[in-house]
Every structure is written in structure tokens, then in C-alpha cells.
Amino acid sequence: MEVEYRKMRLADEDAVFDLRMRTWGAPSIEYVRQGARLDPLYLDHTLVAFAADGTLLSTVRYWLRQVRDATGVPQQVGCVASVTTIESARRQGHARKLMQLAIESMRQEGCAWTLLMSSDMGVPLYEGLGYRVFSAPYYRGVLSDERPQNDSICSIETERIEPPFDFEEGTWKTVRDIYALYNARRPLALVRDEAYWRGYFSRRIRSRNTTHPMLLIMAYTGEGDDKEYAGYLVVDYSTQEVAREEFNLDQFFTIGEIGVAPGHEEAIPALTSALADNAAQGHVGGRSFLPREPQIDAAMRALFGQSLQMPDDRDMMALPLEEGCGHEELEAMFAAPGALFWIVDDF
């Protein structure tokens, strides 16, 4: 079968976005279109395979992101997403060919390495292209009935901010500032500029909230003019139906992000305690995509008690692209103390 492999053109939009919409259950093709156009170079960053009769067979796209290396220095990274092939054209090499084109394109654009999140089905494809799975464990457990008291959090107060979120409001400016400080040298952390916060991040949060109700918890000290924010936590909740069907629990939550201002490590147990205090009655469990650090470990042990586990099933895969960046360097990034690619940045 004659197939054309190339970059996306403007005339391809409806076919490409319709395939994405149907594959991932997006609310509309316009929603998909708006998301794609957050990348001004989305046409160059999307590869397509078309049959001779004009049928779209497969697509791949990538984003250019600034991700910190093992020493905290930002590097340009190609983040691969939306690898999709129609059912009748699978296992015919189309996605592999597009991935090869994407890898070469990312290399030419100066990417030090490339990252993707794979399904179990996709792992063999990416391994055949040289990608490797890197360890990315997270916390998981059931809320403990006997959470220890922590006197260090007595000076910390918390407040809940519920959707709809106003990302122009001052609290979110505080979140952005705390994120920048908390992740200033964190390996694997994304460098988020204002365009990213107002575009990709806010869209991701709003989209997630339509299926998993979200909550922003802020920690602070003082009152009135002396009020100072010490940290934040972003959490979402599965519906009761999903919690019972998928997890056999009355409620299931996901901590997607935490940030703490310098010198306010006591905000971590204050934030997780506030989360637990606001949990539903009954059998409640959750997971936390947070960095492996002593303060976080202690808070998670207090939150989940003896049920605490560390699954490692995210299938984060990476491939070095530039000279001087090899698999050893990538391994060092993923294994570095506190290293974390925040889940809200998943693409």
C-alpha cells in the first residue's frame, strides 16, 4: 500500500483532530483544535501517515519543553504524545515510521533527549526505537485511622479553594511563584513560563475537573497584613462510582502537585493533614505523585500508615538525542534525589 509520511498541513486538521477526539474521548473537535494550537509550531510538530486514497492512518506529535537535568539545569526536551493509528492500519509500521521522523526532527531542533508516557501495548514499539523505561515510583495507600499529631504544623493554617478556578486571581499567582522556588533545581521538573501556566496548565486543570472534582489547598501563616502563603497542594477525587468499581473504596483521591515556600517545610504535613480531614467518611484511599524526599516520605507514612506502597507502573520512557547525553545521564536524572516530572505536565 502506498503511504505518504510527512508533516501535518493546515488542510489535515479536521482529520487529525477528529481522530484524536475519538481516540481519547475529547468533548469536541474544537476542544482538540484549541489544545493543539497552544503550540505555535503544531503543524511542524505533528507527523501524519496518509494512504493514497486520503485516509489518515496514523499520527504522532511532540511538544518542546524545558526540563531540568540531574544538576537542575534546563534542557530542551521533545515530549512525544498523541501516537495514534486507526485499527485497520495497526501493526503495519506506520507509527514506527512516524516516530523515526519525529526523533530526527527533535534532534534537529536541538533536543537533548525525548520523553514519552507509554501504554503497555506501546512499550515494545518504543524499545525497538531505543527508548528505555525509567523508574518513576509514586505513593499509594489507604488513609490511616491513627495519624500521628505533628506539633510543627500548629503555626500553619489552611484554606480550601474550589472550582471554578480563576487563574488570573492572586492565589494562583502565589502558586506560580511557589512552584518556581520549590522546583528551581529539581531534576525532571518542567520550567513553566507564564504562557504555559495560562495555556496548557489552566486547560489541563479545567479539563481534569470535569471528570474528577478538584481542590486547591493553600497553607499560610499569620493573618491580615501579616498573612504569608507557605505552600499549596492540588488534589482531585474520583467519583464515588469509580472509587467503588475500580478501587473498592468509598473515595479515591490523587495528589497531583505540592509546592512549599523556602523555610516552610512544616507546610507539607499541614497540607496533607488538611486533605485527610476533608476526606469523605468510610474507606478512603489515594495516590500521590510527589518527590521522594524526607519531608514528603514522613507525610505519606503519616497519611497512609502501614498500607503505604510505592508502585512503579507509569512506563515513563526516554531516549537520548544529542552527543553527550546518553542513557547513563538519563538514569542519573530519574534517580537524582527529589527528581520528579509532575503529573499535571503529562502530555
Side-chain angles (χ1 to χ4, degrees), residues 71-301:
T71 65
V73 176
Q75 293 181 317
Q76 180 155 282
V77 174
C79 298
V80 177
S82 303
V83 182
T84 311
T85 303
I86 63 173
E87 188 171 359
S88 62
R90 290 174 184 169
R91 303 188 185 282
Q92 297 174 22
H94 303 306
R96 180 181 180 84
K97 176 62 176 179
L98 293 181
M99 282 295 303
Q100 290 172 329
L101 293 175
I103 288 169
E104 182 56 31
S105 183
M106 289 185 287
R107 183 178 284 116
Q108 291 178 359
E109 290 200 67
C111 293
W113 54 285
T114 167
L115 174 69
L116 59 82
M117 316 294 174
S118 178
S119 64
D120 291 341
M121 182 175 65
V123 169
L125 165 65
Y126 303 124
E127 286 182 332
L129 292 164
Y131 283 84
R132 291 185 188 176
V133 176
F134 287 88
S135 180
Y138 56 94
Y139 301 92
R140 179 169 173 170
V142 177
L143 286 190
S144 172
D145 292 330
E146 298 181 359
R147 293 187 295 277
Q149 297 297 314
N150 190 330
D151 294 337
S152 68
I153 69 176
C154 293
S155 62
I156 299 287
E157 299 289 340
T158 60
E159 61 187 24
R160 297 159 44 107
I161 299 175
E162 300 181 357
F165 297 126
D166 179 1
F167 291 94
E168 301 299 322
E169 194 265 333
T171 301
W172 282 100
K173 173 63 165 62
T174 299
V175 168
R176 297 197 291 272
D177 291 343
I178 293 176
Y179 173 89
L181 293 170
Y182 191 56
N183 298 284
R185 303 292 296 176
R186 185 177 305 284
L188 295 182
L190 199 71
V191 179
R192 299 177 184 167
D193 59 17
E194 282 296 307
Y196 184 89
W197 279 103
R198 297 175 187 276
Y200 188 92
F201 181 90
S202 63
R203 174 185 168 88
R204 181 73 185 269
I205 293 294
R206 289 189 176 105
S207 174
R208 182 72 175 167
N209 185 59
T210 61
T211 56
H212 293 71
M214 305 198 76
L215 180 66
L216 172 65
I217 303 176
M218 300 295 296
Y220 64 93
T221 62
E223 296 289 345
D225 293 339
D226 295 326
K227 185 175 183 179
E228 178 184 2
Y229 282 109
Y232 71 93
L233 180 149
V234 179
V235 60
D236 68 58
Y237 299 88
S238 297
T239 63
Q240 190 175 65
E241 180 181 5
V242 170
R244 288 176 175 170
E245 288 183 359
E246 294 188 13
F247 306 106
N248 195 29
L249 295 166
D250 296 308
Q251 187 182 68
F252 190 85
F253 62 83
T254 298
I255 300 177
E257 187 157 308
I258 198 169
V260 178
H264 285 292
E265 286 74 17
E266 73 279 10
I268 294 173
L271 289 164
T272 55
S273 293
L275 164 67
D277 292 341
N278 287 313
Q281 296 296 314
H283 205 41
V284 178
R287 58 189 176 183
S288 304
F289 295 95
L290 303 179
R292 295 290 307 277
E293 294 177 330
Q295 299 92 338
I296 298 289
D297 282 340
M300 293 300 100
R301 287 195 300 270

